[in-house]
PDB file of all heavy atoms in Angstrom:
ATOM      1  N   VAL A  68      -0.318   4.554  10.048  1.00 77.00           N
ATOM      2  CA  VAL A  68      -1.621   4.789   9.407  1.00 77.00           C
ATOM      3  C   VAL A  68      -2.591   3.679   9.772  1.00 77.00           C
ATOM      4  O   VAL A  68      -3.767   3.926  10.055  1.00 77.00           O
ATOM      5  CB  VAL A  68      -1.441   4.891   7.882  1.00 77.00           C
ATOM      6  CG1 VAL A  68      -2.792   4.981   7.186  1.00 77.00           C
ATOM      7  CG2 VAL A  68      -0.606   6.108   7.530  1.00 77.00           C
ATOM      8  N   ALA A  69      -2.098   2.416   9.788  1.00 78.00           N
ATOM      9  CA  ALA A  69      -2.972   1.297  10.149  1.00 78.00           C
ATOM     10  C   ALA A  69      -3.458   1.422  11.589  1.00 78.00           C
ATOM     11  O   ALA A  69      -4.629   1.165  11.890  1.00 78.00           O
ATOM     12  CB  ALA A  69      -2.221  -0.023   9.960  1.00 78.00           C
ATOM     13  N   GLN A  70      -2.583   1.837  12.510  1.00 80.00           N
ATOM     14  CA  GLN A  70      -3.003   2.011  13.907  1.00 80.00           C
ATOM     15  C   GLN A  70      -4.086   3.082  14.036  1.00 80.00           C
ATOM     16  O   GLN A  70      -5.015   2.944  14.823  1.00 80.00           O
ATOM     17  CB  GLN A  70      -1.790   2.388  14.764  1.00 80.00           C
ATOM     18  CG  GLN A  70      -0.768   1.277  14.895  1.00 80.00           C
ATOM     19  CD  GLN A  70       0.449   1.714  15.688  1.00 80.00           C
ATOM     20  OE1 GLN A  70       0.537   2.856  16.136  1.00 80.00           O
ATOM     21  NE2 GLN A  70       1.393   0.816  15.884  1.00 80.00           N
ATOM     22  N   VAL A  71      -3.972   4.166  13.259  1.00 79.00           N
ATOM     23  CA  VAL A  71      -4.927   5.280  13.380  1.00 79.00           C
ATOM     24  C   VAL A  71      -6.267   4.933  12.737  1.00 79.00           C
ATOM     25  O   VAL A  71      -7.337   5.224  13.283  1.00 79.00           O
ATOM     26  CB  VAL A  71      -4.332   6.553  12.746  1.00 79.00           C
ATOM     27  CG1 VAL A  71      -5.362   7.675  12.739  1.00 79.00           C
ATOM     28  CG2 VAL A  71      -3.098   6.996  13.526  1.00 79.00           C
ATOM     29  N   LEU A  72      -6.245   4.265  11.560  1.00 79.00           N
ATOM     30  CA  LEU A  72      -7.471   4.065  10.782  1.00 79.00           C
ATOM     31  C   LEU A  72      -8.239   2.809  11.159  1.00 79.00           C
ATOM     32  O   LEU A  72      -9.405   2.677  10.802  1.00 79.00           O
ATOM     33  CB  LEU A  72      -7.132   4.014   9.287  1.00 79.00           C
ATOM     34  CG  LEU A  72      -6.544   5.288   8.684  1.00 79.00           C
ATOM     35  CD1 LEU A  72      -6.344   5.124   7.206  1.00 79.00           C
ATOM     36  CD2 LEU A  72      -7.432   6.497   8.969  1.00 79.00           C
ATOM     37  N   ASN A  73      -7.610   1.857  11.861  1.00 79.00           N
ATOM     38  CA  ASN A  73      -8.331   0.638  12.249  1.00 79.00           C
ATOM     39  C   ASN A  73      -9.478   0.987  13.196  1.00 79.00           C
ATOM     40  O   ASN A  73      -9.303   1.693  14.177  1.00 79.00           O
ATOM     41  CB  ASN A  73      -7.380  -0.357  12.941  1.00 79.00           C
ATOM     42  CG  ASN A  73      -6.523  -1.096  11.935  1.00 79.00           C
ATOM     43  OD1 ASN A  73      -6.932  -1.276  10.787  1.00 79.00           O
ATOM     44  ND2 ASN A  73      -5.348  -1.540  12.335  1.00 79.00           N
ATOM     45  N   GLY A  74     -10.657   0.465  12.872  1.00 77.00           N
ATOM     46  CA  GLY A  74     -11.835   0.732  13.686  1.00 77.00           C
ATOM     47  C   GLY A  74     -12.590   1.979  13.275  1.00 77.00           C
ATOM     48  O   GLY A  74     -13.559   2.348  13.938  1.00 77.00           O
ATOM     49  N   THR A  75     -12.158   2.685  12.205  1.00 80.00           N
ATOM     50  CA  THR A  75     -12.849   3.875  11.740  1.00 80.00           C
ATOM     51  C   THR A  75     -13.522   3.571  10.401  1.00 80.00           C
ATOM     52  O   THR A  75     -13.385   2.480   9.842  1.00 80.00           O
ATOM     53  CB  THR A  75     -11.866   5.046  11.582  1.00 80.00           C
ATOM     54  OG1 THR A  75     -10.919   4.729  10.553  1.00 80.00           O
ATOM     55  CG2 THR A  75     -11.112   5.289  12.884  1.00 80.00           C
ATOM     56  N   GLU A  76     -14.244   4.554   9.885  1.00 81.00           N
ATOM     57  CA  GLU A  76     -14.909   4.378   8.594  1.00 81.00           C
ATOM     58  C   GLU A  76     -13.917   4.377   7.439  1.00 81.00           C
ATOM     59  O   GLU A  76     -14.276   4.026   6.308  1.00 81.00           O
ATOM     60  CB  GLU A  76     -15.922   5.500   8.393  1.00 81.00           C
ATOM     61  CG  GLU A  76     -15.293   6.907   8.435  1.00 81.00           C
ATOM     62  CD  GLU A  76     -16.327   7.994   8.206  1.00 81.00           C
ATOM     63  OE1 GLU A  76     -17.317   7.699   7.528  1.00 81.00           O
ATOM     64  OE2 GLU A  76     -16.134   9.116   8.715  1.00 81.00           O
ATOM     65  N   PHE A  77     -12.669   4.786   7.692  1.00 79.00           N
ATOM     66  CA  PHE A  77     -11.662   4.822   6.643  1.00 79.00           C
ATOM     67  C   PHE A  77     -10.756   3.594   6.664  1.00 79.00           C
ATOM     68  O   PHE A  77      -9.663   3.613   6.091  1.00 79.00           O
ATOM     69  CB  PHE A  77     -10.792   6.085   6.795  1.00 79.00           C
ATOM     70  CG  PHE A  77     -11.572   7.356   6.940  1.00 79.00           C
ATOM     71  CD1 PHE A  77     -11.516   8.112   8.105  1.00 79.00           C
ATOM     72  CD2 PHE A  77     -12.398   7.789   5.920  1.00 79.00           C
ATOM     73  CE1 PHE A  77     -12.242   9.279   8.241  1.00 79.00           C
ATOM     74  CE2 PHE A  77     -13.123   8.964   6.055  1.00 79.00           C
ATOM     75  CZ  PHE A  77     -13.058   9.693   7.209  1.00 79.00           C
ATOM     76  N   GLU A  78     -11.166   2.518   7.323  1.00 78.00           N
ATOM     77  CA  GLU A  78     -10.325   1.324   7.455  1.00 78.00           C
ATOM     78  C   GLU A  78      -9.978   0.673   6.111  1.00 78.00           C
ATOM     79  O   GLU A  78      -8.918   0.073   5.979  1.00 78.00           O
ATOM     80  CB  GLU A  78     -11.015   0.310   8.365  1.00 78.00           C
ATOM     81  CG  GLU A  78     -10.135  -0.860   8.758  1.00 78.00           C
ATOM     82  CD  GLU A  78     -10.779  -1.705   9.836  1.00 78.00           C
ATOM     83  OE1 GLU A  78     -11.868  -1.348  10.315  1.00 78.00           O
ATOM     84  OE2 GLU A  78     -10.173  -2.735  10.191  1.00 78.00           O
ATOM     85  N   PRO A  79     -10.823   0.741   5.027  1.00 79.00           N
ATOM     86  CA  PRO A  79     -10.422   0.162   3.735  1.00 79.00           C
ATOM     87  C   PRO A  79      -9.115   0.721   3.197  1.00 79.00           C
ATOM     88  O   PRO A  79      -8.439   0.067   2.413  1.00 79.00           O
ATOM     89  CB  PRO A  79     -11.602   0.489   2.822  1.00 79.00           C
ATOM     90  CG  PRO A  79     -12.774   0.594   3.739  1.00 79.00           C
ATOM     91  CD  PRO A  79     -12.233   1.157   5.013  1.00 79.00           C
ATOM     92  N   ALA A  80      -8.742   1.949   3.600  1.00 77.00           N
ATOM     93  CA  ALA A  80      -7.481   2.514   3.120  1.00 77.00           C
ATOM     94  C   ALA A  80      -6.283   1.713   3.593  1.00 77.00           C
ATOM     95  O   ALA A  80      -5.248   1.666   2.928  1.00 77.00           O
ATOM     96  CB  ALA A  80      -7.352   3.967   3.582  1.00 77.00           C
ATOM     97  N   VAL A  81      -6.390   1.051   4.768  1.00 78.00           N
ATOM     98  CA  VAL A  81      -5.272   0.256   5.300  1.00 78.00           C
ATOM     99  C   VAL A  81      -4.947  -0.883   4.347  1.00 78.00           C
ATOM    100  O   VAL A  81      -3.778  -1.152   4.036  1.00 78.00           O
ATOM    101  CB  VAL A  81      -5.634  -0.275   6.703  1.00 78.00           C
ATOM    102  CG1 VAL A  81      -4.503  -1.154   7.226  1.00 78.00           C
ATOM    103  CG2 VAL A  81      -5.887   0.882   7.661  1.00 78.00           C
ATOM    104  N   ARG A  82      -5.995  -1.551   3.834  1.00 79.00           N
ATOM    105  CA  ARG A  82      -5.770  -2.670   2.913  1.00 79.00           C
ATOM    106  C   ARG A  82      -5.113  -2.184   1.630  1.00 79.00           C
ATOM    107  O   ARG A  82      -4.188  -2.811   1.106  1.00 79.00           O
ATOM    108  CB  ARG A  82      -7.104  -3.346   2.616  1.00 79.00           C
ATOM    109  CG  ARG A  82      -7.016  -4.494   1.624  1.00 79.00           C
ATOM    110  CD  ARG A  82      -8.373  -5.137   1.418  1.00 79.00           C
ATOM    111  NE  ARG A  82      -9.350  -4.154   0.975  1.00 79.00           N
ATOM    112  CZ  ARG A  82      -9.450  -3.717  -0.273  1.00 79.00           C
ATOM    113  NH1 ARG A  82      -8.628  -4.174  -1.206  1.00 79.00           N
ATOM    114  NH2 ARG A  82     -10.372  -2.819  -0.598  1.00 79.00           N
ATOM    115  N   LEU A  83      -5.550  -1.031   1.096  1.00 78.00           N
ATOM    116  CA  LEU A  83      -4.962  -0.504  -0.140  1.00 78.00           C
ATOM    117  C   LEU A  83      -3.486  -0.143   0.052  1.00 78.00           C
ATOM    118  O   LEU A  83      -2.637  -0.443  -0.799  1.00 78.00           O
ATOM    119  CB  LEU A  83      -5.747   0.731  -0.592  1.00 78.00           C
ATOM    120  CG  LEU A  83      -7.211   0.494  -0.993  1.00 78.00           C
ATOM    121  CD1 LEU A  83      -7.887   1.826  -1.294  1.00 78.00           C
ATOM    122  CD2 LEU A  83      -7.315  -0.432  -2.185  1.00 78.00           C
ATOM    123  N   ILE A  84      -3.166   0.498   1.207  1.00 77.00           N
ATOM    124  CA  ILE A  84      -1.774   0.908   1.457  1.00 77.00           C
ATOM    125  C   ILE A  84      -0.876  -0.313   1.650  1.00 77.00           C
ATOM    126  O   ILE A  84       0.237  -0.369   1.114  1.00 77.00           O
ATOM    127  CB  ILE A  84      -1.715   1.838   2.681  1.00 77.00           C
ATOM    128  CG1 ILE A  84      -2.401   3.172   2.364  1.00 77.00           C
ATOM    129  CG2 ILE A  84      -0.278   2.100   3.103  1.00 77.00           C
ATOM    130  CD1 ILE A  84      -2.505   4.104   3.536  1.00 77.00           C
ATOM    131  N   GLN A  85      -1.349  -1.309   2.400  1.00 77.00           N
ATOM    132  CA  GLN A  85      -0.544  -2.518   2.607  1.00 77.00           C
ATOM    133  C   GLN A  85      -0.290  -3.246   1.284  1.00 77.00           C
ATOM    134  O   GLN A  85       0.804  -3.762   1.039  1.00 77.00           O
ATOM    135  CB  GLN A  85      -1.242  -3.435   3.605  1.00 77.00           C
ATOM    136  CG  GLN A  85      -1.253  -2.874   5.023  1.00 77.00           C
ATOM    137  CD  GLN A  85      -2.018  -3.752   5.981  1.00 77.00           C
ATOM    138  OE1 GLN A  85      -2.720  -4.691   5.561  1.00 77.00           O
ATOM    139  NE2 GLN A  85      -1.910  -3.461   7.264  1.00 77.00           N
ATOM    140  N   SER A  86      -1.306  -3.282   0.408  1.00 77.00           N
ATOM    141  CA  SER A  86      -1.127  -3.906  -0.908  1.00 77.00           C
ATOM    142  C   SER A  86      -0.075  -3.154  -1.726  1.00 77.00           C
ATOM    143  O   SER A  86       0.782  -3.754  -2.371  1.00 77.00           O
ATOM    144  CB  SER A  86      -2.463  -3.945  -1.645  1.00 77.00           C
ATOM    145  OG  SER A  86      -2.289  -4.469  -2.949  1.00 77.00           O
ATOM    146  N   PHE A  87      -0.108  -1.814  -1.683  1.00 75.00           N
ATOM    147  CA  PHE A  87       0.886  -1.030  -2.424  1.00 75.00           C
ATOM    148  C   PHE A  87       2.288  -1.219  -1.846  1.00 75.00           C
ATOM    149  O   PHE A  87       3.260  -1.310  -2.606  1.00 75.00           O
ATOM    150  CB  PHE A  87       0.500   0.443  -2.394  1.00 75.00           C
ATOM    151  CG  PHE A  87       1.573   1.353  -2.948  1.00 75.00           C
ATOM    152  CD1 PHE A  87       1.821   1.401  -4.305  1.00 75.00           C
ATOM    153  CD2 PHE A  87       2.348   2.125  -2.087  1.00 75.00           C
ATOM    154  CE1 PHE A  87       2.820   2.224  -4.806  1.00 75.00           C
ATOM    155  CE2 PHE A  87       3.341   2.938  -2.592  1.00 75.00           C
ATOM    156  CZ  PHE A  87       3.574   2.984  -3.965  1.00 75.00           C
ATOM    157  N   VAL A  88       2.407  -1.289  -0.519  1.00 74.00           N
ATOM    158  CA  VAL A  88       3.729  -1.477   0.107  1.00 74.00           C
ATOM    159  C   VAL A  88       4.329  -2.815  -0.304  1.00 74.00           C
ATOM    160  O   VAL A  88       5.536  -2.923  -0.548  1.00 74.00           O
ATOM    161  CB  VAL A  88       3.595  -1.372   1.645  1.00 74.00           C
ATOM    162  CG1 VAL A  88       4.884  -1.801   2.314  1.00 74.00           C
ATOM    163  CG2 VAL A  88       3.257   0.055   2.040  1.00 74.00           C
ATOM    164  N   ARG A  89       3.469  -3.852  -0.411  1.00 76.00           N
ATOM    165  CA  ARG A  89       3.983  -5.160  -0.841  1.00 76.00           C
ATOM    166  C   ARG A  89       4.473  -5.119  -2.296  1.00 76.00           C
ATOM    167  O   ARG A  89       5.438  -5.803  -2.643  1.00 76.00           O
ATOM    168  CB  ARG A  89       2.893  -6.219  -0.679  1.00 76.00           C
ATOM    169  CG  ARG A  89       2.597  -6.602   0.761  1.00 76.00           C
ATOM    170  CD  ARG A  89       1.770  -7.875   0.820  1.00 76.00           C
ATOM    171  NE  ARG A  89       0.478  -7.731   0.157  1.00 76.00           N
ATOM    172  CZ  ARG A  89      -0.610  -7.312   0.786  1.00 76.00           C
ATOM    173  NH1 ARG A  89      -0.576  -7.036   2.076  1.00 76.00           N
ATOM    174  NH2 ARG A  89      -1.753  -7.191   0.136  1.00 76.00           N
ATOM    175  N   ARG A  90       3.837  -4.314  -3.125  1.00 73.00           N
ATOM    176  CA  ARG A  90       4.214  -4.259  -4.545  1.00 73.00           C
ATOM    177  C   ARG A  90       5.249  -3.196  -4.842  1.00 73.00           C
ATOM    178  O   ARG A  90       5.755  -3.131  -5.964  1.00 73.00           O
ATOM    179  CB  ARG A  90       2.975  -3.984  -5.409  1.00 73.00           C
ATOM    180  CG  ARG A  90       1.910  -5.060  -5.348  1.00 73.00           C
ATOM    181  CD  ARG A  90       0.892  -4.884  -6.484  1.00 73.00           C
ATOM    182  NE  ARG A  90       0.481  -3.502  -6.642  1.00 73.00           N
ATOM    183  CZ  ARG A  90      -0.480  -2.924  -5.934  1.00 73.00           C
ATOM    184  NH1 ARG A  90      -1.130  -3.606  -5.018  1.00 73.00           N
ATOM    185  NH2 ARG A  90      -0.810  -1.648  -6.126  1.00 73.00           N
ATOM    186  N   ARG A  91       5.557  -2.313  -3.899  1.00 71.00           N
ATOM    187  CA  ARG A  91       6.451  -1.194  -4.178  1.00 71.00           C
ATOM    188  C   ARG A  91       7.836  -1.665  -4.595  1.00 71.00           C
ATOM    189  O   ARG A  91       8.464  -1.072  -5.476  1.00 71.00           O
ATOM    190  CB  ARG A  91       6.550  -0.304  -2.943  1.00 71.00           C
ATOM    191  CG  ARG A  91       7.425   0.917  -3.138  1.00 71.00           C
ATOM    192  CD  ARG A  91       7.222   1.906  -2.018  1.00 71.00           C
ATOM    193  NE  ARG A  91       7.444   1.278  -0.730  1.00 71.00           N
ATOM    194  CZ  ARG A  91       7.235   1.907   0.421  1.00 71.00           C
ATOM    195  NH1 ARG A  91       6.815   3.161   0.419  1.00 71.00           N
ATOM    196  NH2 ARG A  91       7.435   1.287   1.568  1.00 71.00           N
ATOM    197  N   HIS A  92       8.323  -2.778  -4.002  1.00 68.00           N
ATOM    198  CA  HIS A  92       9.639  -3.294  -4.354  1.00 68.00           C
ATOM    199  C   HIS A  92       9.688  -3.678  -5.837  1.00 68.00           C
ATOM    200  O   HIS A  92      10.658  -3.370  -6.551  1.00 68.00           O
ATOM    201  CB  HIS A  92       9.977  -4.487  -3.466  1.00 68.00           C
ATOM    202  CG  HIS A  92      11.261  -5.162  -3.834  1.00 68.00           C
ATOM    203  ND1 HIS A  92      12.497  -4.555  -3.636  1.00 68.00           N
ATOM    204  CD2 HIS A  92      11.508  -6.361  -4.409  1.00 68.00           C
ATOM    205  CE1 HIS A  92      13.441  -5.363  -4.065  1.00 68.00           C
ATOM    206  NE2 HIS A  92      12.872  -6.462  -4.549  1.00 68.00           N
ATOM    207  N   PHE A  93       8.627  -4.343  -6.313  1.00 70.00           N
ATOM    208  CA  PHE A  93       8.605  -4.757  -7.718  1.00 70.00           C
ATOM    209  C   PHE A  93       8.458  -3.538  -8.637  1.00 70.00           C
ATOM    210  O   PHE A  93       9.035  -3.496  -9.732  1.00 70.00           O
ATOM    211  CB  PHE A  93       7.444  -5.731  -7.946  1.00 70.00           C
ATOM    212  CG  PHE A  93       7.535  -6.964  -7.102  1.00 70.00           C
ATOM    213  CD1 PHE A  93       6.778  -7.092  -5.952  1.00 70.00           C
ATOM    214  CD2 PHE A  93       8.413  -7.990  -7.429  1.00 70.00           C
ATOM    215  CE1 PHE A  93       6.860  -8.219  -5.161  1.00 70.00           C
ATOM    216  CE2 PHE A  93       8.501  -9.119  -6.651  1.00 70.00           C
ATOM    217  CZ  PHE A  93       7.740  -9.247  -5.503  1.00 70.00           C
ATOM    218  N   ILE A  94       7.696  -2.532  -8.210  1.00 70.00           N
ATOM    219  CA  ILE A  94       7.527  -1.327  -9.035  1.00 70.00           C
ATOM    220  C   ILE A  94       8.870  -0.609  -9.191  1.00 70.00           C
ATOM    221  O   ILE A  94       9.251  -0.189 -10.295  1.00 70.00           O
ATOM    222  CB  ILE A  94       6.488  -0.391  -8.405  1.00 70.00           C
ATOM    223  CG1 ILE A  94       5.098  -1.057  -8.433  1.00 70.00           C
ATOM    224  CG2 ILE A  94       6.429   0.930  -9.136  1.00 70.00           C
ATOM    225  CD1 ILE A  94       4.052  -0.294  -7.646  1.00 70.00           C
ATOM    226  N   LEU A  95       9.617  -0.482  -8.087  1.00 69.00           N
ATOM    227  CA  LEU A  95      10.922   0.183  -8.152  1.00 69.00           C
ATOM    228  C   LEU A  95      11.919  -0.638  -8.965  1.00 69.00           C
ATOM    229  O   LEU A  95      12.744  -0.080  -9.697  1.00 69.00           O
ATOM    230  CB  LEU A  95      11.453   0.432  -6.733  1.00 69.00           C
ATOM    231  CG  LEU A  95      10.623   1.404  -5.872  1.00 69.00           C
ATOM    232  CD1 LEU A  95      11.208   1.476  -4.476  1.00 69.00           C
ATOM    233  CD2 LEU A  95      10.585   2.785  -6.503  1.00 69.00           C
ATOM    234  N   ARG A  96      11.843  -1.964  -8.833  1.00 70.00           N
ATOM    235  CA  ARG A  96      12.778  -2.813  -9.572  1.00 70.00           C
ATOM    236  C   ARG A  96      12.509  -2.748 -11.075  1.00 70.00           C
ATOM    237  O   ARG A  96      13.441  -2.748 -11.887  1.00 70.00           O
ATOM    238  CB  ARG A  96      12.672  -4.252  -9.060  1.00 70.00           C
ATOM    239  CG  ARG A  96      13.735  -5.179  -9.646  1.00 70.00           C
ATOM    240  CD  ARG A  96      13.650  -6.543  -9.030  1.00 70.00           C
ATOM    241  NE  ARG A  96      12.365  -7.165  -9.321  1.00 70.00           N
ATOM    242  CZ  ARG A  96      11.991  -8.347  -8.826  1.00 70.00           C
ATOM    243  NH1 ARG A  96      12.798  -9.000  -8.013  1.00 70.00           N
ATOM    244  NH2 ARG A  96      10.809  -8.850  -9.120  1.00 70.00           N
ATOM    245  N   GLU A  97      11.238  -2.687 -11.459  1.00 66.00           N
ATOM    246  CA  GLU A  97      10.884  -2.586 -12.876  1.00 66.00           C
ATOM    247  C   GLU A  97      10.961  -1.157 -13.398  1.00 66.00           C
ATOM    248  O   GLU A  97      10.713  -0.909 -14.585  1.00 66.00           O
ATOM    249  CB  GLU A  97       9.466  -3.131 -13.067  1.00 66.00           C
ATOM    250  CG  GLU A  97       9.351  -4.618 -12.749  1.00 66.00           C
ATOM    251  CD  GLU A  97       7.906  -5.105 -12.818  1.00 66.00           C
ATOM    252  OE1 GLU A  97       7.048  -4.268 -13.164  1.00 66.00           O
ATOM    253  OE2 GLU A  97       7.662  -6.291 -12.540  1.00 66.00           O
ATOM    254  N   LYS A  98      11.239  -0.177 -12.500  1.00 69.00           N
ATOM    255  CA  LYS A  98      11.372   1.232 -12.877  1.00 69.00           C
ATOM    256  C   LYS A  98      10.109   1.749 -13.555  1.00 69.00           C
ATOM    257  O   LYS A  98      10.153   2.480 -14.550  1.00 69.00           O
ATOM    258  CB  LYS A  98      12.583   1.430 -13.781  1.00 69.00           C
ATOM    259  CG  LYS A  98      13.901   1.086 -13.110  1.00 69.00           C
ATOM    260  CD  LYS A  98      15.082   1.335 -14.028  1.00 69.00           C
ATOM    261  CE  LYS A  98      16.401   1.018 -13.335  1.00 69.00           C
ATOM    262  NZ  LYS A  98      17.562   1.242 -14.226  1.00 69.00           N
ATOM    263  N   ARG A  99       8.973   1.346 -12.998  1.00 66.00           N
ATOM    264  CA  ARG A  99       7.704   1.851 -13.514  1.00 66.00           C
ATOM    265  C   ARG A  99       7.341   3.144 -12.801  1.00 66.00           C
ATOM    266  O   ARG A  99       7.603   3.287 -11.610  1.00 66.00           O
ATOM    267  CB  ARG A  99       6.585   0.827 -13.284  1.00 66.00           C
ATOM    268  CG  ARG A  99       6.661  -0.384 -14.206  1.00 66.00           C
ATOM    269  CD  ARG A  99       5.434  -1.241 -14.014  1.00 66.00           C
ATOM    270  NE  ARG A  99       5.401  -1.777 -12.660  1.00 66.00           N
ATOM    271  CZ  ARG A  99       4.335  -2.337 -12.115  1.00 66.00           C
ATOM    272  NH1 ARG A  99       3.211  -2.403 -12.777  1.00 66.00           N
ATOM    273  NH2 ARG A  99       4.379  -2.804 -10.890  1.00 66.00           N
ATOM    274  N   PRO A 100       6.719   4.084 -13.504  1.00 66.00           N
ATOM    275  CA  PRO A 100       6.223   5.290 -12.803  1.00 66.00           C
ATOM    276  C   PRO A 100       5.156   4.894 -11.792  1.00 66.00           C
ATOM    277  O   PRO A 100       4.275   4.074 -12.097  1.00 66.00           O
ATOM    278  CB  PRO A 100       5.639   6.138 -13.938  1.00 66.00           C
ATOM    279  CG  PRO A 100       6.277   5.629 -15.185  1.00 66.00           C
ATOM    280  CD  PRO A 100       6.520   4.165 -14.960  1.00 66.00           C
ATOM    281  N   PRO A 101       5.215   5.415 -10.543  1.00 57.00           N
ATOM    282  CA  PRO A 101       4.218   5.019  -9.522  1.00 57.00           C
ATOM    283  C   PRO A 101       2.790   5.311  -9.957  1.00 57.00           C
ATOM    284  O   PRO A 101       1.873   4.554  -9.632  1.00 57.00           O
ATOM    285  CB  PRO A 101       4.627   5.848  -8.298  1.00 57.00           C
ATOM    286  CG  PRO A 101       6.058   6.171  -8.513  1.00 57.00           C
ATOM    287  CD  PRO A 101       6.235   6.305  -9.989  1.00 57.00           C
TER     288      PRO A 101
END
């Protein structure tokens, strides 16, 4: 997704997805609903 969206008008989505991927481990460990 980052390769496709970099340089386009939708590039802010890359930052949001990367932030979620970094936190996904903690979300799964705490068993929180996504």
Side-chain angles (χ1 to χ4, degrees):
V68 174
Q70 293 177 0
V71 174
L72 296 184
N73 282 332
T75 64
E76 59 179 332
F77 310 116
E78 190 170 357
V81 177
R82 178 178 57 79
L83 295 175
I84 292 175
Q85 291 177 349
S86 176
F87 171 73
V88 170
R89 288 194 299 270
R90 297 194 315 276
R91 182 167 55 185
H92 175 69
F93 301 101
I94 294 171
L95 296 176
R96 187 176 62 184
E97 296 175 3
K98 297 182 179 179
R99 287 187 296 166

